[in-house]
Amino acid sequence: MTRNPPRSSHTGRIAAGKGVPFSASPVLKVKLPVWRSRVVLFAMFAAFLALIVRALWLQGISTDFLQKQGASRYARTLELPATRGKITDRNGQVLASSVPVKAIWAIPDDVKDAPKEKLQALAKLLDMSSAELNKKLDSDRNFVYLKRQVEQDISDQIVKLGIDGIETRKEYKRFYPEGEVAAHVVGFTNVEDAGQDGMELSQQKNLAGATGSRRVIKDRLGRIVEDIEAVKEPHDGKDLVLSIDSKIQYIAFTQLKEAVEKFKAKAGGIVVVDAKSGEVLALANLPSYNPNDRSVLTGAQLRNRVMTDTFEPGSTLKPFTVALALDTNRVQATTTFQVPDKMTIGTATVGDSHPHPVQTMSVAQIIQKSSNIGTAKIALQMPAEEMWEMFTTVGLGQQPKFGFPGAVAGRVRPFKSWRPIEQATMSYGHGISVSLIQMAHAYTIFARNGDLIPLSFQKVTEPPVGQRVVSEKTALTMRAMLERVTAPGGTAPKAQVPGYRVGGKTGTAYKIEGGKYVKKYIADFVGFAPASDPRLIIAVMVDEPTVGSHFGGDVAAPVFATVAANALRALNVPPDSSVTDIIIPADGPQEGL
C-alpha cells in the first residue's frame, strides 16, 4: 500500500499566508472616497501649471524689469555738474564765481562698524558734535548727506581717515568778492547752486547751464569699477556781464552807510543810472548782508529796498506836475501865483512846511522853494486824467520791466476817483506810492530832453530807443528850474558838486503806519549831473533819520553830492562849471512836506 508522505507544518503556514489578503483584517481595512485622489491629483497639476506660468513670466514678459532691478544693485547714474557762469561788472571785475567743493555723504550700514576714534575725528572735521553725526548715521536709508559744500582741504583730510562708507561728491560753491557792497544786485545761490535772489535768480537759466550724466558700475563699497557710457555731456552756464561799475558801487554803498549811521536811520537806499544808456551803474541798500556767510541772515538785511519798498515821494514828484503844466502851455516858468502858507480845498486844509506871509511866486520859484500850495494851485488848473497819464507814462504805478526779481509797481489810484483835495496832495507827492528806482527812472525825461528810456541791469551795447513824454523845450526848462534848487536860495544847496552844475529835487514825507500818518520821515533826493549835459541820475532815500535833521536837503542831498563828484571823475566826465566853492546858506529854506 502506497502511503502519502506527511505534510510539513511550515509549508502549510506559507500556503495559508498566501491566501489571506492585506485588507482582510478589519483593523487595517480603510475605505477612501474616490474624489479624494482626484482632488490631490488636480492640486498637483495646478501647482506645476503655476510654476510653469511663473517661469514664463519671469523669463519672458518681466525680463526688462528684472534686468533693471539687477542693474540697480551695481549700476549707477552719476550726475556731472555744470560750472555756473561767472557774474562780472561792466569792466570785467568778477562779482560772483564758482569754487569747486565737495559734498560728504555716507552709506550708514557700512559706517556703523567704523572705529569710534575715526568717527570722532570725522565729526570734528565736519564741524559738528559726535551726537549730531551719529543722528545722521542712524538711518535706514542707503544714502545720507553729512555736509554740503565742504572745502577741498577738509575733504582731503576726511578721505585720509579711510572710513568705509564715507564718500565725496564734487559740487560748486559761489564766492562773492564784493561781499555786502553788491549783495542786493548780485544776489546769492542755495546749497544746490540755484539762484535765490538778485541777478543770480533773475538769470538762473542762463547762469546754471545744464548738468550731464554718465553710467558706471560700482562694487559693494561704492567704488567705480567700470564706465558704461556717457549719457549726457554737461554744458557750463554762460557768463553774465552786468551794467554795474564796481568803483561807483563801492562809492555809493560807503556814502549811504555813512549817512545812515550819521543820522541813526532805520535804513537807506541809493541807485545810480547812466542817463545816456539807461544802465544801472550802482544799487545799494542798508542794512545789507555778506552773501559768503548767511548764517545770521535776517529779513531786514535781505530786503532790496530800492526795488521793493514803496513810499510817498513827497516833493520829488512836483517837477512832473509842473512839467505837465508847461508842456500843455498852461503856465510858463515866469507865470506867477499868490502863495499863502495855507489853503483850504473843500473841507481840508493844506499848507507849506513853514509859515510865511502871502507871497507872489513864479513857477520857477515854486519849484526852487518847494511850495506845496503853489504846486497845488498849478495842479488844480489841469484835468485829473492828464496828471494820471503823466504819472503812469513815466512808470509810476506800473509794474517795472527791469529784468529784476521783486520790483514793485507802487500805487497811483485811478483818476476817476480823485477828489480836488486828492489831486492837490498828489501833485506834491502825497497819496501816491513809488519805489526809489521808479523815481530815478522817471527823472530820465529831464536828463534826456524829454524822452524816457528803459533801465537795464546788464551791459548795453546799443543805444536805447526812447519814448517821448514831454517836449525838449519843457525838459530844458525843467532842468534849469531843478538846477536852481541846488543853488543858494534853493532847498538843496548841499547837493552842489565843485566843478559841475547839478540839478535835482528834495523830498520829505511822513510815513504811513496802520493807515495813518505818523511822525516818522522818509528823506529823499533825486538829481542829475552835469546839468549842461546829464550823464548820471542819482536817487537817494534815507528811512527814518532820528538824529539831526529829517529833511531831504540835509540828509539825502549830501550823499548825492559826494557820490556824483566821485562817479563823474571815475567816468572821466569833464567839468561844466568854473565854480569850485560850494555856497551853503546858514539857514537855507526847507522843502514842503
Side-chain angles (χ1 to χ4, degrees):
M1 171 183 270
T2 305
R3 302 172 96 179
N4 294 327
R7 183 178 295 176
S8 169
S9 61
H10 177 69
T11 304
R13 285 196 300 271
I14 292 175
K18 288 182 178 180
V20 179
F22 175 78
S23 59
S25 171
V27 178
L28 298 177
K29 186 176 181 181
V30 178
K31 293 183 178 180
L32 296 175
V34 176
W35 61 265
R36 182 168 181 176
S37 61
R38 293 176 180 176
V39 169
V40 172
L41 181 62
F42 179 77
M44 293 177 64
F45 174 78
F48 279 111
L49 181 62
L51 290 174
I52 293 171
V53 171
R54 180 61 175 167
L56 290 174
W57 176 266
L58 293 176
Q59 298 183 36
I61 299 175
S62 298
T63 300
D64 292 341
F65 171 77
L66 294 174
Q67 286 179 342
K68 289 179 180 178
Q69 290 298 307
S72 67
R73 303 307 193 265
Y74 59 83
R76 297 286 186 273
T77 298
L78 298 182
E79 183 181 276
L80 303 177
T83 303
R84 192 175 179 87
K86 293 186 297 184
I87 299 178
T88 67
D89 79 344
R90 62 185 305 104
N91 300 312
Q93 183 167 330
V94 175
L95 300 177
S97 62
S98 293
V99 178
V101 289
K102 290 293 182 69
I104 308 299
W105 59 277
I107 303 173
D109 288 341
D110 293 344
V111 182
K112 288 179 180 178
D113 297 330
K116 185 177 180 180
E117 60 274 9
K118 286 191 176 184
L119 291 178
Q120 290 176 342
L122 175 63
K124 186 176 181 180
L125 288 171
L126 293 175
D127 195 23
M128 62 177 64
S129 65
S130 295
E132 289 176 304
L133 178 61
N134 291 332
K135 185 177 180 180
K136 287 180 177 289
L137 293 174
D138 186 17
S139 172
D140 56 0
R141 293 183 297 172
N142 294 326
F143 173 98
V144 291
Y145 275 119
L146 300 182
K147 192 170 183 179
R148 306 289 299 274
Q149 297 188 344
V150 176
E151 301 296 333
Q152 187 67 48
D153 58 336
I154 301 297
S155 173
D156 292 340
Q157 294 180 55
I158 290 174
V159 171
K160 288 181 180 178
L161 292 175
I163 303 175
D164 289 342
I166 299 297
E167 302 292 337
T168 65
R169 174 179 175 268
K170 185 179 180 180
E171 58 184 12
Y172 293 95
K173 178 182 179 180
R174 289 297 255 186
F175 175 65
Y176 303 94
E178 296 297 311
E180 64 177 357
V181 173
H184 290 100
V185 179
V186 179
F188 60 90
T189 61
N190 62 9
V191 72
E192 300 292 345
D193 212 23
Q196 300 297 294
D197 197 18
M199 298 306 290
E200 290 275 33
L201 173 59
S202 175
Q203 298 296 314
Q204 164 66 15
K205 185 176 181 180
N206 291 329
L207 287 167
T211 58
S213 60
R214 66 183 176 122
R215 295 277 291 171
V216 299
I217 293 177
K218 288 189 173 184
D219 63 12
R220 188 183 67 83
L221 298 178
R223 296 172 298 194
I224 297 174
V225 296
E226 183 182 350
D227 271 323
I228 301 177
E229 61 177 333
V231 179
K232 185 173 66 173
E233 293 294 332
H235 296 283
D236 292 340
K238 297 178 181 178
D239 292 344
L240 178 65
V241 181
L242 299 186
S243 59
I244 297 297
D245 186 309
S246 292
K247 293 179 181 178
I248 299 176
Q249 177 71 27
Y250 178 78
I251 294 166
F253 178 84
T254 54
Q255 293 305 310
L256 178 67
K257 187 175 183 180
E258 286 185 15
V260 169
E261 292 174 351
K262 177 181 178 181
F263 294 97
K264 297 191 182 306
K266 177 182 177 181
I270 184 171
V271 59
V272 182
V273 175
D274 189 324
K276 303 295 184 183
S277 64
E279 295 170 299
V280 177
L281 300 179
L283 183 153
N285 295 275
L286 280 172
S288 186
Y289 64 95
N290 183 354
N292 297 307
D293 180 11
R294 302 190 298 276
S295 57
V296 291
L297 194 60
T298 65
Q301 291 174 304
L302 270 177
R303 279 168 60 183
N304 188 342
R305 298 169 190 271
V306 171
M307 306 289 295
T308 64
D309 281 20
T310 59
F311 58 95
E312 290 192 344
S315 298
T316 54
L317 199 67
K318 291 174 181 175
F320 299 94
T321 302
V322 173
L324 176 60
L326 288 170
D327 208 51
T328 54
N329 296 315
R330 289 186 171 92
V331 299
Q332 303 295 323
T334 55
T335 303
T336 58
F337 291 84
Q338 293 299 306
V339 181
D341 64 345
K342 293 186 182 300
M343 181 172 70
T344 300
I345 304 173
T347 59
T349 300
V350 297
D352 285 340
S353 60
H354 298 284
H356 60 76
V358 177
Q359 299 181 29
T360 299
M361 286 190 184
S362 67
V363 172
Q365 289 174 320
I366 288 172
I367 289 294
Q368 183 185 27
K369 304 295 183 180
S370 196
S371 170
N372 294 342
I373 303 299
T375 308
K377 284 193 168 187
I378 295 172
L380 292 174
Q381 294 182 352
M382 300 181 289
E385 183 176 1
E386 290 187 17
M387 285 181 58
W388 180 86
E389 287 179 350
M390 165 61 85
F391 295 157
T392 55
T393 299
V394 296
L396 308 184
Q398 307 299 303
Q399 186 63 44
K401 298 179 181 178
F402 303 145
F404 202 97
V408 296
R411 185 168 184 250
V412 179
R413 290 190 298 106
F415 65 88
K416 291 182 179 180
S417 66
W418 292 8
R419 296 175 297 159
I421 182 61
E422 292 170 327
Q423 183 175 349
T425 56
M426 284 188 193
S427 72
Y428 54 81
H430 288 228
I432 184 172
S433 66
V434 302
S435 67
L436 190 64
I437 198 165
Q438 282 181 318
M439 290 305 297
H441 184 212
Y443 266 68
T444 59
I445 69 170
F446 305 131
R448 288 183 54 85
N449 298 340
D451 68 336
L452 187 75
I453 58 173
L455 299 189
S456 175
F457 281 87
Q458 297 184 47
K459 190 173 182 179
V460 172
T461 56
E462 296 182 1
V465 178
Q467 173 191 358
R468 176 65 59 183
V469 177
V470 296
S471 67
E472 182 175 351
K473 179 183 177 182
T474 297
L476 292 173
T477 302
M478 285 306 307
R479 209 149 76 207
M481 290 186 192
L482 293 172
E483 191 174 354
R484 291 179 63 177
V485 172
T486 64
T491 59
K494 293 180 180 178
Q496 295 176 70
V497 178
Y500 294 94
R501 294 163 49 195
V502 301
K505 189 70 191 74
T506 54
T508 307
Y510 287 115
K511 295 184 68 174
I512 299 176
E513 293 182 358
K516 296 181 180 180
Y517 286 106
V518 295
K519 202 170 183 181
K520 297 177 181 179
Y521 303 94
I522 294 283
D524 60 319
F525 182 86
V526 186
F528 47 80
S532 59
D533 184 18
R535 175 66 188 278
L536 298 178
I537 299 169
I538 303 174
V540 184
M541 177 273 293
V542 178
D543 185 6
E544 291 187 27
T546 58
V547 174
S549 176
H550 61 266
F551 290 104
D554 294 326
V555 179
V559 179
F560 165 87
T562 306
V563 174
N566 287 280
L568 289 170
R569 294 187 183 97
L571 295 172
N572 294 317
V573 177
D576 64 343
S577 173
S578 59
V579 178
T580 57
D581 295 327
I582 297 177
I583 303 173
I584 301 176
D587 296 309
Q590 303 292 352
E591 70 273 12
L593 289 172

